[in-house]
Amino acid sequence: MKHEYERTTVSIAKVRDEQIYEAVKTAVDLVGGMQSYVKEGDRVTLKPNLAYPYPPPATTDPRVVKAVAQLCFEAGASKVYIGDSAAYSCKSILGVGRWTNQDVIERTGMAKVAEETGAQIVDFDEDEFVMTQIPDGVILQEAPIAKKMLDTDVVINIPALKTHFETLVTLGLKNYHGILPDHYKVQWHKDEIMQKIIDLHKVVKTDLTILDGLVGMQGLGPRCGTNVQMDVILASADMVSLDAVASELMEIGADEVESIRIARMQGLGNGFMDNIDIVGEKLDDVKVKFDRPDVSIDGIYPDFKIIKGGPCVHCYGRTKIMLDDLLAENFPDNAGVTNVFVGINPKQIPVEQIKGKALFIGDCAISTAANLRYALGDRAICVDGCPPIASVHRELDKLRAEQEKKK
């Protein structure tokens, strides 16, 4: 079924002389002003990207969140909540435990934002999740959703501007992965992830999306990319349209982005560039060609013999992240790691050819190269999971601990 959409508006405001509040206000004013969305006495939930305990652009800039909170109070909000649930990759659910949601809230500056504005922090992990029916859900017919995303009067989404090696971009739509508890994040995290997140948008009403485009992340986002100074703020009442314009801002075609295509096909928003009015700055004046995510692993890591079966982008990306992090540790002889097996049915070479330890990355390699893995005994390192997200960090932590013992 093809949906017909009325024209939508996306604003672009330029940040000048670090006047962030002014730029956020300009962007919002261009799409009707905060008073169009927040009324006297309203309770408002702000949903920034607080996936990691790292500074922008891995997360939303606290100065942007502060400006949005101020505008909400100026419009008459009685309560403003700032909430998220960080990525599960290094939380205790999968045995890593590098950080908690509270660590992320503190280290991203959000606690200070709350103190300075009178907003209230809501740790979604500690607050209530409400099991919610999702009509027309494709992956999720029901899901536990953070209560504050459902029971406040206004929801404002404040994503960061980033590429993503699994989903090409991570903007407004993708930002809602954080409204799920960890045990729902860890499931359906492969090629179905964007349909899963689109399903959430079918029951969570978002009133306004304000994109933090102060600094973007290109390349191996959402965590390991490089920074691009952009100095822009985008705003729209139509999240899909904002994601379309934000993608084009990075010179990534809106039609290339799976989440945008699914969302507009399933009736969640416009997202067609020829049906969007861009107000404020001209797109051509502010867009920058971002490096796209590159998960290539061949011919890049001379220290390791890499044998691939049929890996997907998820295991390619996790292999790249693990090898980059392993090399960054500067362990003597790379902690003994010499070989890497990844994907379905990687060739099982004679065990005598493996002089050190071997990484088996992802459940496919672990299961289909089982005989070699058994033959290697404790020289086999199983980086399990589909995809192997948390286990990358867990196994690196183990290698780090082994090296410490040798000192």
Side-chain angles (χ1 to χ4, degrees):
M1 173 180 170
K2 185 175 180 180
H3 294 269
E4 298 294 331
Y5 296 103
E6 295 182 359
R7 295 191 68 82
T8 52
T9 302
V10 176
S11 67
I12 305 176
K14 188 75 175 172
V15 179
R16 294 181 171 85
D17 300 322
E18 297 190 2
Q19 299 299 304
I20 293 167
Y21 170 87
E22 288 76 9
V24 173
K25 186 176 187 304
T26 296
V28 175
D29 285 347
L30 286 167
V31 292
M34 192 61 82
Q35 69 280 0
S36 298
Y37 306 94
V38 177
K39 306 303 182 186
E40 191 72 33
D42 277 351
R43 297 160 60 248
V44 182
T45 294
L46 307 184
K47 169 58 179 78
N49 183 330
L50 304 181
Y52 311 103
Y54 305 140
T59 50
T60 303
D61 195 299
R63 297 172 296 174
V64 175
V65 179
K66 180 179 179 179
V68 177
Q70 289 174 321
L71 288 171
C72 290
F73 281 124
E74 290 166 12
S78 61
K79 294 275 189 182
V80 175
Y81 303 101
I82 301 170
D84 199 6
S85 171
Y88 68 86
S89 55
C90 286
K91 288 156 79 177
S92 59
I93 183 174
L94 293 177
V96 181
R98 287 190 185 177
W99 63 66
T100 66
N101 224 37
Q102 282 298 319
D103 295 329
V104 174
I105 288 164
E106 290 289 338
R107 289 161 64 179
T108 55
M110 293 302 151
K112 185 178 179 182
V113 169
E115 180 183 339
E116 292 175 343
T117 62
Q120 179 180 331
I121 294 292
V122 180
D123 180 344
F124 286 171
D125 289 353
E126 299 297 327
D127 199 50
E128 185 178 349
F129 288 94
V130 178
M131 187 58 74
T132 305
Q133 298 299 309
I134 303 176
D136 301 319
V138 178
I139 301 299
L140 299 176
Q141 286 77 50
E142 63 176 13
I145 295 174
K147 185 179 181 182
K148 283 294 186 288
M149 298 294 293
L150 299 169
D151 70 356
T152 50
D153 302 298
V154 179
V155 173
I156 299 178
N157 188 9
I158 318 177
L161 177 70
K162 301 189 286 183
T163 54
H164 193 298
F165 77 87
E166 291 173 301
T167 59
L168 187 54
V169 300
T170 172
L171 302 163
L173 290 164
K174 176 70 167 58
N175 195 34
Y176 277 20
H177 207 215
I179 71 175
L180 291 170
D182 290 338
H183 67 287
Y184 264 68
K185 293 194 198 89
V186 73
Q187 299 181 80
W188 312 289
H189 200 292
K190 300 188 291 300
D191 291 349
E192 73 272 47
I193 185 172
M194 283 318 308
Q195 178 62 70
K196 163 190 168 182
I197 295 172
I198 295 303
D199 286 343
L200 297 174
H201 288 280
K202 295 171 182 176
V203 291
V204 178
K205 179 180 180 294
T206 304
D207 299 275
L208 179 64
T209 301
I210 301 171
L211 177 84
D212 164 20
L214 301 183
V215 181
M217 181 180 288
Q218 65 179 353
L220 200 65
R223 181 176 66 87
C224 303
T226 57
N227 294 0
V228 182
Q229 194 70 39
M230 297 295 289
D231 294 317
V232 292
I233 301 292
L234 276 62
S236 183
D238 186 302
M239 190 191 310
V240 186
S241 294
L242 182 138
D243 275 17
V245 174
S247 298
E248 298 280 347
L249 181 68
M250 299 183 282
E251 296 198 16
I252 295 172
D255 290 345
E256 298 179 68
V257 180
E258 179 186 357
S259 57
I260 296 171
R261 297 196 307 268
I262 295 173
R264 64 194 187 191
M265 182 182 72
Q266 295 182 11
L268 295 183
N270 177 16
F272 293 97
M273 289 299 295
D274 61 0
N275 201 34
I276 299 171
D277 295 319
I278 299 175
V279 296
E281 302 292 327
K282 293 181 179 179
L283 180 60
D284 286 343
D285 292 343
V286 293
K287 68 182 181 181
V288 174
K289 187 175 181 61
F290 275 40
D291 292 339
R292 296 190 176 214
D294 182 2
V295 294
S296 301
I297 57 176
D298 294 310
I300 297 172
Y301 300 102
D303 291 355
F304 309 104
K305 182 173 184 178
I306 300 173
I307 298 180
K308 301 184 302 182
C312 64
V313 66
H314 309 282
C315 273
Y316 267 126
R318 302 300 163 189
T319 301
K320 192 174 188 70
I321 288 169
M322 185 161 193
L323 295 182
D324 285 346
D325 286 355
L326 178 57
L327 291 170
E329 292 285 352
N330 289 313
F331 295 139
D333 298 321
N334 296 318
V337 175
T338 57
N339 293 69
V340 179
F341 297 86
V342 59
I344 300 173
N345 289 318
K347 180 178 174 60
Q348 299 185 58
I349 61 176
V351 70
E352 293 80 11
Q353 294 181 15
I354 300 174
K355 303 305 180 185
K357 298 174 183 176
L359 302 176
F360 293 81
I361 298 182
D363 288 350
C364 291
I366 289 169
S367 61
T368 59
N371 289 340
L372 176 59
R373 181 166 54 82
Y374 294 148
L376 284 168
D378 61 7
R379 291 195 291 143
I381 299 174
C382 295
V383 188
D384 59 304
C386 185
I389 296 176
S391 54
V392 166
H393 306 286
R394 185 193 68 223
E395 296 305 321
L396 282 168
D397 285 348
K398 288 180 182 177
L399 291 172
R400 191 178 296 110
E402 288 176 10
Q403 295 303 305
E404 287 295 321
K405 286 181 180 178
K406 292 179 180 179
K407 290 182 179 178

